[in-house]
Amino acid sequence: MKVFKLYSEFDSYLNKIRENKTVAFVPTMGSLHQAHLDLVEEASKVYDIVVCSIFVNPRQFNNVVDFKNYPRDIDKDIRILQNTRCAILYLPKESELYNSEEIELFDLNKLDNYMEGEYRPGHFQGVVNVIDRFFALIHPEAAFFGQKDIQQLIIIKYFSS
Ligand code: PAF
């Protein structure tokens, strides 16, 4: 598994190996567990190259303390991913993903107004902001998301349809 922190290096490597191959993307915020590994495994059954990312996305946290306290153990996550079919791990810096302080507001068909969205205003906009950026940088044929957070899944499906 290749690990990249710089987008330019990640992108040039991906383009080199991509050619006629298909790419699946598994975005994560780290603290990897079996469900993430299952996503990688599922993705690898259908797509040629599995790209994972680990990025604790500040835009989806309503609370700075929660963001600061979010568990981070990159070395452990890398060790875990090394035993999977993940071909490339991208660990972007915030500045490589976002070139403006402004959060783009997407039409989420009010799906973010209910349930968790009621208690975490802006959370789902933050999620789609980062997914939008990743999709623009990676151009994957498919992306794989956990099903535990069903509202997130529905919102991402709506956003990317
Ligand atoms: O579900 C998560 O871990 C995050 O919301 C995601 C999809 C990686 C976006 O930061």
Side-chain angles (χ1 to χ4, degrees), residues 7 18 23 134-142:
Y7 177 67
R18 193 170 201 157
V23 173
F134 274 127
F135 283 2
L137 294 174
I138 300 172
H139 304 289
E141 268 72 37

Side-chain angles (χ1 to χ4, degrees), residues 52-157:
C52 292
S53 64
I54 297 177
F55 177 66
V56 183
N57 174 30
R59 295 193 174 186
Q60 67 188 79
F61 287 82
N62 306 81
N63 184 324
V64 167
V65 178
D66 289 349
F67 172 66
K68 285 207 173 116
N69 290 340
Y70 194 85
R72 293 165 172 89
D73 191 341
I74 288 289
D75 293 339
K76 183 174 170 205
D77 286 340
I78 292 176
R79 279 199 303 277
I80 291 175
L81 273 182
Q82 262 157 352
N83 296 318
T84 71
R85 292 178 195 275
C86 173
I88 308 178
L89 173 61
Y90 177 37
L91 305 170
K93 275 205 214 122
E94 188 177 345
S95 57
E96 288 222 308
L97 280 182
Y98 300 122
N99 41 27
S100 138
E101 293 276 293
E102 268 170 48
I103 296 199
E104 197 172 340
L105 288 181
F106 291 94
D107 167 23
L108 301 180
N109 200 23
K110 299 198 171 93
L111 292 165
D112 56 332
N113 287 0
Y114 308 101
M115 295 162 60
E116 200 181 345
E118 260 187 78
Y119 305 98
R120 301 178 71 186
H123 164 68
F124 289 113
Q125 286 289 351
V127 172
V128 290
N129 263 253
V130 79
I131 295 305
D132 179 61
R133 292 301 300 140
F134 274 127
F135 283 2
L137 294 174
I138 300 172
H139 304 289
E141 268 72 37
F144 286 68
F145 297 87
Q147 304 202 351
K148 205 179 88 195
D149 188 343
I150 191 69
Q151 189 174 12
Q152 170 172 285
L153 194 62
I154 289 168
I155 286 174
I156 290 173
K157 272 191 181 162

